[in-house]
Amino acid sequence: AQSVTQPDIHITVSEGASLELRCNYSYGATPYLFWYVQSPGQGLQLLLKYFSGDTLVQGIKGFEAEFKRSQSSFNLRKPSVHWSDAAEYFCAVGQYNQGGKLIFGQGTELSVKP
Amino acid sequence: DTEVTQTPKHLVMGMTNKKSLKCEQHMGHRAMYWYKQKAKKPPELMFVYSYEKLSINESVPSRFSPECPNSSLLNLHLHALQPEDSALYLCASSQQEAGELFFGEGSRLTVL
């Protein structure tokens, strides 16, 4: 069955430090992959997406992610974290042959310390 | 205009009430979604409408009734809810099925 795993429930980084959030997926075909961010009490905002092509994708707010087929991973990175990046981050895989369903990972809560 | 607008932002209702959540998008998207999200959990898909027809119902209890009056509007009618139905209800739209989803801010529902 298709699944998405975010191994880290909670990560704390210092402001200005680099960040990597991990995401592993299980899917039989080439997946559509997404990273969303959610601030408390808010909806989800798309950070970036991978459909095909270049495996390193750039997103908004200085984020990037790299699709590695051999590792079934789609990790999110940012070279220098800002306090405003504190939020919940969700990785998701799209099932294009099942009518638009997105499978979300459990989320990683990011805290940023001064 | 790249927004998905949801109303109301907050709703408190008793178990015998009937209420509705509304969602609107003007991006020309042909797929619209309802998700339910409990605290500290990922969103869970409830319904998908594609070209104004219900294409996915994730075995949602009948006390939740979706409606898609036209390609821009999506409603979720609520009746005889339970306290465990209290959650953030998120509407989303996409240009096509399995494309990127654009989410609204959500409607925070509390059932007393």
Side-chain angles (χ1 to χ4, degrees):
Chain A
Q2 294 85 356
S3 65
V4 178
T5 302
Q6 292 179 247
D8 304 304
I9 295 173
H10 190 195
I11 284 182
T12 299
V13 299
S14 297
E15 191 168 17
S18 64
L19 171 70
E20 182 170 30
L21 301 182
R22 296 182 291 166
C23 174
N24 293 96
Y25 67 89
S26 171
Y27 189 61
T30 300
Y32 293 174
L33 293 162
F34 307 87
W35 275 100
Y36 285 88
V37 61
Q38 185 178 31
S39 296
Q42 302 295 309
L44 278 72
Q45 182 182 23
L46 180 69
L47 286 175
L48 45 77
K49 64 190 178 193
Y50 173 78
F51 286 177
S52 64
D54 193 347
T55 56
L56 183 63
V57 293
Q58 302 296 320
I60 62 171
K61 304 184 180 186
F63 286 92
E64 66 177 28
E66 186 171 11
F67 171 58
K68 292 185 177 181
R69 184 188 302 275
S70 61
Q71 298 177 20
S72 298
S73 69
F74 189 56
N75 294 348
L76 182 71
R77 300 193 294 249
K78 185 170 184 177
S80 178
V81 169
H82 188 263
W83 63 267
S84 61
D85 293 324
E88 189 83 21
Y89 291 79
F90 291 101
C91 180
V93 60
Q95 299 178 278
Y96 56 87
N97 61 345
Q98 293 194 27
K101 291 180 65 170
L102 277 189
I103 294 180
F104 285 90
Q106 289 299 303
T108 297
E109 183 180 4
L110 174 65
S111 298
V112 180
K113 59 183 181 182
Chain B
D1 188 355
T2 57
E3 284 192 350
V4 176
T5 304
Q6 291 188 241
T7 55
K9 292 192 182 305
H10 300 276
L11 178 63
V12 180
M13 59 186 292
M15 290 190 286
T16 58
N17 292 157
K18 285 186 180 181
K19 297 287 185 182
S20 297
L21 305 180
K22 297 183 184 302
C23 175
E24 188 170 9
Q25 58 89 11
H26 293 290
M27 296 177 277
H29 289 174
R30 304 318 300 250
M32 296 187 75
Y33 310 76
W34 280 115
Y35 280 84
K36 173 183 177 180
Q37 186 180 28
K38 303 284 269 185
K40 301 293 186 182
K41 295 293 185 181
E44 298 174 4
L45 182 65
M46 300 175 71
F47 303 103
V48 180
Y49 273 83
S50 179
Y51 290 86
E52 303 167 41
K53 294 189 185 302
L54 183 65
S55 60
I56 294 178
N57 176 342
E58 290 288 276
S59 302
V60 179
S62 60
R63 57 185 185 269
F64 296 92
S65 176
E67 178 194 21
C68 189
N70 60 56
S71 60
S72 299
L73 293 175
L74 186 66
N75 299 322
L76 186 63
H77 302 297
L78 315 171
H79 175 55
L81 296 192
Q82 303 298 311
E84 58 264 29
D85 297 321
S86 298
L88 182 68
Y89 288 84
L90 294 163
C91 175
S93 69
S94 64
Q95 189 169 29
Q96 59 191 27
E97 291 179 353
E100 60 191 272
L101 267 60
F102 293 81
F103 283 86
E105 295 286 303
S107 293
R108 174 75 59 187
L109 173 67
T110 302
V111 182
L112 302 177

Short mmCIF file of all heavy atoms in Angstrom, two decimals, chain A residues 11-19 63 78-86 89 110-114:
data_model
loop_
_atom_site.label_atom_id
_atom_site.label_comp_id
_atom_site.label_asym_id
_atom_site.label_seq_id
_atom_site.Cartn_x
_atom_site.Cartn_y
_atom_site.Cartn_z
N ILE A 11 11.40 18.68 15.41
CA ILE A 11 12.80 19.10 15.23
C ILE A 11 12.95 20.52 15.74
O ILE A 11 12.07 21.36 15.50
CB ILE A 11 13.21 19.02 13.74
CG1 ILE A 11 13.44 17.57 13.33
CG2 ILE A 11 14.46 19.84 13.48
CD1 ILE A 11 13.88 17.41 11.89
N THR A 12 14.04 20.76 16.45
CA THR A 12 14.36 22.12 16.90
C THR A 12 15.70 22.52 16.30
O THR A 12 16.68 21.76 16.40
CB THR A 12 14.45 22.21 18.43
OG1 THR A 12 13.17 21.85 18.99
CG2 THR A 12 14.79 23.63 18.86
N VAL A 13 15.74 23.67 15.65
CA VAL A 13 16.99 24.18 15.10
C VAL A 13 17.17 25.62 15.55
O VAL A 13 16.20 26.31 15.88
CB VAL A 13 17.03 24.10 13.56
CG1 VAL A 13 16.91 22.66 13.10
CG2 VAL A 13 15.95 24.97 12.95
N SER A 14 18.40 26.07 15.55
CA SER A 14 18.70 27.46 15.88
C SER A 14 18.49 28.34 14.66
O SER A 14 18.71 27.91 13.52
CB SER A 14 20.14 27.59 16.37
OG SER A 14 20.33 26.85 17.55
N GLU A 15 18.06 29.55 14.90
CA GLU A 15 17.88 30.49 13.80
C GLU A 15 19.21 30.69 13.08
O GLU A 15 20.25 30.84 13.72
CB GLU A 15 17.36 31.83 14.32
CG GLU A 15 16.91 32.78 13.21
CD GLU A 15 16.13 33.97 13.75
OE1 GLU A 15 16.20 34.23 14.96
OE2 GLU A 15 15.45 34.63 12.95
N GLY A 16 19.16 30.62 11.77
CA GLY A 16 20.36 30.75 10.96
C GLY A 16 21.01 29.42 10.61
O GLY A 16 21.85 29.36 9.70
N ALA A 17 20.64 28.37 11.29
CA ALA A 17 21.20 27.04 11.00
C ALA A 17 20.49 26.44 9.80
O ALA A 17 19.42 26.88 9.39
CB ALA A 17 21.03 26.14 12.22
N SER A 18 21.11 25.41 9.25
CA SER A 18 20.50 24.72 8.12
C SER A 18 19.47 23.72 8.61
O SER A 18 19.46 23.31 9.78
CB SER A 18 21.57 24.02 7.28
OG SER A 18 22.19 23.01 8.06
N LEU A 19 18.59 23.33 7.68
CA LEU A 19 17.47 22.45 8.04
C LEU A 19 17.33 21.37 6.98
O LEU A 19 17.47 21.63 5.77
CB LEU A 19 16.18 23.26 8.09
CG LEU A 19 14.87 22.48 8.24
CD1 LEU A 19 14.78 21.86 9.63
CD2 LEU A 19 13.67 23.37 7.97
N PHE A 63 13.07 27.37 0.29
CA PHE A 63 13.13 25.92 0.45
C PHE A 63 13.45 25.21 -0.87
O PHE A 63 13.11 25.71 -1.94
CB PHE A 63 11.80 25.39 0.98
CG PHE A 63 11.56 25.68 2.44
CD1 PHE A 63 10.88 26.83 2.84
CD2 PHE A 63 12.02 24.81 3.42
CE1 PHE A 63 10.67 27.11 4.18
CE2 PHE A 63 11.81 25.08 4.76
CZ PHE A 63 11.13 26.23 5.15
N LYS A 78 16.62 23.72 3.77
CA LYS A 78 16.74 25.18 3.73
C LYS A 78 18.09 25.53 4.34
O LYS A 78 18.42 25.03 5.41
CB LYS A 78 15.61 25.86 4.50
CG LYS A 78 15.63 27.38 4.36
CD LYS A 78 14.38 28.03 4.92
CE LYS A 78 14.40 29.54 4.66
NZ LYS A 78 13.16 30.22 5.12
N PRO A 79 18.88 26.36 3.68
CA PRO A 79 20.24 26.62 4.15
C PRO A 79 20.31 27.44 5.43
O PRO A 79 21.23 27.27 6.22
CB PRO A 79 20.90 27.37 2.98
CG PRO A 79 19.78 27.87 2.15
CD PRO A 79 18.63 26.96 2.35
N SER A 80 19.32 28.31 5.65
CA SER A 80 19.36 29.18 6.82
C SER A 80 17.93 29.43 7.30
O SER A 80 17.14 30.09 6.62
CB SER A 80 20.05 30.51 6.49
OG SER A 80 20.06 31.36 7.61
N VAL A 81 17.61 28.91 8.47
CA VAL A 81 16.24 28.96 8.98
C VAL A 81 15.96 30.30 9.66
O VAL A 81 16.80 30.84 10.37
CB VAL A 81 16.02 27.79 9.97
CG1 VAL A 81 14.71 27.96 10.71
CG2 VAL A 81 16.03 26.47 9.22
N HIS A 82 14.77 30.80 9.45
CA HIS A 82 14.30 32.03 10.08
C HIS A 82 13.26 31.68 11.13
O HIS A 82 12.58 30.65 11.02
CB HIS A 82 13.71 32.95 9.00
CG HIS A 82 13.37 34.33 9.46
ND1 HIS A 82 12.09 34.69 9.84
CD2 HIS A 82 14.14 35.43 9.62
CE1 HIS A 82 12.09 35.97 10.19
NE2 HIS A 82 13.31 36.43 10.07
N TRP A 83 13.11 32.56 12.13
CA TRP A 83 12.15 32.25 13.20
C TRP A 83 10.75 32.03 12.64
O TRP A 83 9.97 31.24 13.18
CB TRP A 83 12.12 33.36 14.26
CG TRP A 83 11.66 34.70 13.74
CD1 TRP A 83 12.43 35.71 13.28
CD2 TRP A 83 10.29 35.15 13.62
NE1 TRP A 83 11.64 36.76 12.87
CE2 TRP A 83 10.33 36.45 13.08
CE3 TRP A 83 9.06 34.57 13.93
CZ2 TRP A 83 9.18 37.19 12.84
CZ3 TRP A 83 7.90 35.31 13.69
CH2 TRP A 83 7.97 36.60 13.14
N SER A 84 10.42 32.70 11.54
CA SER A 84 9.08 32.58 10.96
C SER A 84 8.84 31.23 10.29
O SER A 84 7.71 30.95 9.87
CB SER A 84 8.85 33.71 9.95
OG SER A 84 9.79 33.64 8.90
N ASP A 85 9.88 30.42 10.18
CA ASP A 85 9.72 29.08 9.59
C ASP A 85 9.13 28.08 10.57
O ASP A 85 8.78 26.95 10.17
CB ASP A 85 11.06 28.56 9.07
CG ASP A 85 11.58 29.36 7.88
OD1 ASP A 85 10.77 29.81 7.05
OD2 ASP A 85 12.82 29.55 7.81
N ALA A 86 9.02 28.46 11.83
CA ALA A 86 8.43 27.55 12.82
C ALA A 86 6.99 27.23 12.42
O ALA A 86 6.16 28.12 12.27
CB ALA A 86 8.47 28.18 14.20
N TYR A 89 5.19 20.81 9.06
CA TYR A 89 5.52 20.52 7.67
C TYR A 89 5.01 19.13 7.30
O TYR A 89 5.28 18.15 8.01
CB TYR A 89 7.03 20.62 7.44
CG TYR A 89 7.54 22.03 7.54
CD1 TYR A 89 7.75 22.62 8.78
CD2 TYR A 89 7.77 22.80 6.40
CE1 TYR A 89 8.20 23.93 8.89
CE2 TYR A 89 8.21 24.11 6.49
CZ TYR A 89 8.41 24.67 7.74
OH TYR A 89 8.84 25.97 7.84
N LEU A 110 8.38 21.91 13.39
CA LEU A 110 9.66 22.61 13.46
C LEU A 110 9.59 23.75 14.47
O LEU A 110 8.72 24.61 14.38
CB LEU A 110 10.03 23.18 12.09
CG LEU A 110 11.29 24.06 12.06
CD1 LEU A 110 12.52 23.25 12.40
CD2 LEU A 110 11.44 24.74 10.70
N SER A 111 10.49 23.72 15.42
CA SER A 111 10.67 24.84 16.35
C SER A 111 11.99 25.52 16.03
O SER A 111 12.97 24.84 15.68
CB SER A 111 10.67 24.35 17.80
OG SER A 111 9.44 23.76 18.14
N VAL A 112 12.04 26.83 16.16
CA VAL A 112 13.25 27.60 15.88
C VAL A 112 13.62 28.36 17.15
O VAL A 112 12.81 29.13 17.67
CB VAL A 112 13.03 28.58 14.72
CG1 VAL A 112 14.32 29.38 14.45
CG2 VAL A 112 12.59 27.84 13.47
N LYS A 113 14.83 28.14 17.62
CA LYS A 113 15.25 28.85 18.83
C LYS A 113 16.20 29.99 18.46
O LYS A 113 16.94 29.90 17.48
CB LYS A 113 15.92 27.89 19.81
CG LYS A 113 17.13 27.15 19.31
CD LYS A 113 17.62 26.18 20.39
CE LYS A 113 18.86 25.44 19.92
NZ LYS A 113 19.34 24.47 20.93
N PRO A 114 16.12 31.08 19.23
CA PRO A 114 16.90 32.27 18.91
C PRO A 114 18.41 32.01 18.97
O PRO A 114 18.87 31.16 19.72
CB PRO A 114 16.50 33.29 19.98
CG PRO A 114 15.24 32.76 20.57
CD PRO A 114 15.27 31.27 20.40
#
